[in-house]
Amino acid sequence: MTAYAIYRLPHEDHATLIRQTDGEPAELHSLAELNGRQGFVVAPFEVNAEQPILVIRPDEVEKVSLEEREKWKEEGDYQLGNNQPQHYSLTSHLSPLTTKSHYAIDFANYHSQLENDTFRKIVLARCADENLGEDVEPMELFYRACSLYPRLFIALVDTEASGCWLTATPEILLDGKGSDWRTIALAGTMKLEGDQLNGEGETLRWSTKNIQEQRIVATYITECLEQFTGDFREEGPRTVRAANLVHLRSDFTFKLEDRNHIGDLLNTLHPTPAVCGLPKREAFQFIVKNEHTPRRYYSGFMGPLGVNEIHLYVSLRCMNIDGKSCHLFAGGGLLKDSTEEQEWQETEAKLETMRNILDIRS
């Protein structure tokens, strides 16, 4: 079966389809192994034997106009093979649903660590299940996401090792061309409602908790970049919209003359405090050991890794598609003054990004 990835960069009018026509994608077990690699990268939150870093070899690359929807629908799975299944099923690897009672237990456990000053920040994630319509295929969901969310990075990935994942994410991990590079610090979340949906969130007032959370991430990014370059600039924070949510975002632009150590830079950046916490290593270990729902490829990253250009995005607002079941993931950053109900509602707001895709009827 063919491994493939199809993605649409923010505001672009076309998608790019990458297919590996034989063999399985390369499986890597450390981000440093990405040094010198090319292809479409799919990285998990935690790298291990069951969920390696995958690199889909670009045997075939095709750009497709997003106006050709009818052509796509007529061709079914977009010429991925007449005798091949629509997508991989990985029932044995499915993440368990996070009920509200599970979330309450996790929240109490995580928040006690914050109160004891073990962590400055830690991110708690959860999983929700939804059904996929009888006549809806993953490629159709990708196309819906492109239509709904022109500002976001949209990607659909399908490999035997990972299963099928769809993401619609606002967060750049690493983006660059030549010696010009950028990354962002994205944190803090508020939901737009009513008349606010007509704007960009410019009238909203940010709470101290959200401002602190974003500053933690921005400081971390600064410390990471200082290890690789002295030529960088931070702008922000500013309010940016992503679907019906707004976040605080700082932009970092920098020069990177030596591109032979991209994997090392990624190893330093990932996972950022936006999906993990601080101190990073301790928060990461705590999450892996204690979080009710294994994240798998949620809050990892994905995107094309090329010779001249790299576009890697954190895998937020995503779902794992298995048969007719969809496993949606979302998380939120906890600080000392976080409350359980507010954090649960934040994850509900984030889950709407994927639920909206499932609810649309063509």
Side-chain angles (χ1 to χ4, degrees):
M1 179 171 174
T2 304
Y4 74 93
I6 186 167
Y7 68 92
R8 198 280 323 268
L9 294 175
H11 303 293
E12 286 198 338
D13 60 1
H14 66 275
T16 301
L17 173 66
I18 294 174
R19 292 193 293 182
Q20 181 169 330
T21 55
D22 63 81
E24 298 299 328
E27 296 188 2
L28 311 181
H29 298 284
S30 75
L31 292 174
E33 293 180 63
L34 288 172
N35 290 335
R37 292 272 184 170
Q38 296 179 44
F40 191 94
V41 178
V42 187
F45 177 70
E46 177 200 14
V47 181
N48 59 37
E50 289 190 350
Q51 49 202 36
I53 303 161
L54 303 170
V55 183
I56 300 173
R57 189 177 65 241
D59 295 334
E60 297 179 357
V61 179
E62 184 176 357
K63 294 189 183 300
V64 184
S65 169
L66 291 176
E67 297 178 355
E68 297 183 352
R69 179 174 186 174
E70 293 307 314
K71 175 183 175 182
W72 281 27
K73 292 179 73 173
E74 290 172 4
E75 294 177 351
D77 59 359
Y78 198 64
Q79 300 178 336
L80 295 178
N82 293 330
N83 299 318
Q84 295 169 356
Q86 192 68 33
H87 57 85
Y88 290 100
S89 292
L90 285 176
T91 303
S92 61
H93 294 283
L94 290 182
S95 299
L97 172 70
T98 311
T99 65
K100 197 164 186 180
S101 61
H102 290 137
Y103 186 85
I105 293 170
D106 279 355
F107 181 89
N109 188 15
Y110 279 49
H111 197 255
S112 67
Q113 303 298 313
L114 293 165
E115 291 177 324
N116 293 335
D117 294 321
T118 304
F119 307 119
R120 293 172 57 199
K121 171 188 174 177
I122 189 165
V123 176
L124 175 57
R126 54 176 282 235
C127 177
D129 287 357
E130 300 288 348
N131 292 324
L132 185 61
E134 289 299 319
D135 299 322
V136 180
E137 298 295 344
M139 190 65 75
E140 171 67 11
L141 296 181
F142 169 82
Y143 208 38
R144 290 179 182 180
C146 289
S147 177
L148 271 176
Y149 305 126
R151 308 162 189 248
L152 305 185
F153 172 79
I154 313 295
L156 176 69
V157 175
D158 204 353
T159 77
E160 186 173 12
S162 66
C164 187
W165 289 78
L166 175 68
T167 187
T169 176
E171 185 169 353
I172 297 168
L173 181 64
L174 185 62
D175 186 273
K177 182 177 182 180
S179 62
D180 295 321
W181 296 81
R182 63 178 179 143
T183 186
I184 67 172
L186 191 75
T189 301
M190 285 198 290
K191 183 178 179 180
L192 296 177
E193 297 178 303
D195 293 340
Q196 296 170 344
L197 291 167
N198 297 322
E200 301 296 315
E202 61 273 9
T203 63
L204 295 176
R205 288 179 174 270
W206 288 97
S207 68
T208 301
K209 183 261 184 185
N210 280 305
I211 293 171
Q212 288 176 340
E213 185 181 349
Q214 199 277 336
R215 191 65 248 161
I216 286 172
V217 179
T219 300
Y220 172 83
I221 297 294
T222 298
E223 292 170 351
C224 289
L225 293 179
E226 287 174 342
Q227 300 177 44
F228 292 86
T229 178
D231 187 359
F232 67 90
R233 179 181 178 184
E234 177 185 356
E235 295 183 350
R238 59 191 175 93
T239 300
V240 294
R241 182 171 176 175
N244 292 338
L245 304 176
V246 288
H247 307 284
L248 281 170
R249 167 174 165 168
S250 294
D251 290 77
F252 293 83
T253 53
F254 58 99
K255 296 291 184 180
L256 193 66
E257 302 298 337
D258 183 3
R259 297 183 66 253
N260 295 320
H261 297 284
I262 292 298
D264 298 322
L265 175 56
L266 290 169
N267 189 52
T268 303
L269 289 172
H270 174 74
T272 74
V275 298
C276 183
L278 285 175
K280 173 180 172 177
R281 178 174 297 181
E282 291 81 359
F284 175 82
Q285 292 172 343
F286 186 88
I287 290 169
V288 169
K289 183 178 179 181
N290 292 280
E291 203 163 61
H292 174 77
T293 302
R295 296 188 182 188
R296 300 185 60 234
Y297 288 88
Y298 163 68
S299 69
F301 63 88
M302 63 176 68
L305 184 67
V307 175
N308 299 315
E309 293 187 42
I310 292 174
H311 306 286
L312 300 176
Y313 284 73
V314 181
S315 303
L316 304 177
R317 320 295 148 78
C318 67
M319 63 180 164
N320 175 210
I321 306 167
D322 185 84
K324 293 302 178 181
S325 296
C326 299
H327 306 273
L328 284 57
F329 293 80
L334 308 187
L335 300 180
K336 271 187 179 182
D337 59 353
S338 296
T339 65
E340 179 190 329
E341 184 60 26
Q342 285 179 334
E343 296 300 332
W344 174 267
Q345 291 303 325
E346 180 175 319
T347 60
E348 280 290 295
K350 290 175 177 176
L351 288 170
E352 284 183 13
T353 301
M354 287 289 113
R355 285 173 173 156
N356 287 341
I357 297 169
L358 294 171
D359 285 344
I360 290 179
R361 296 293 176 262
S362 303

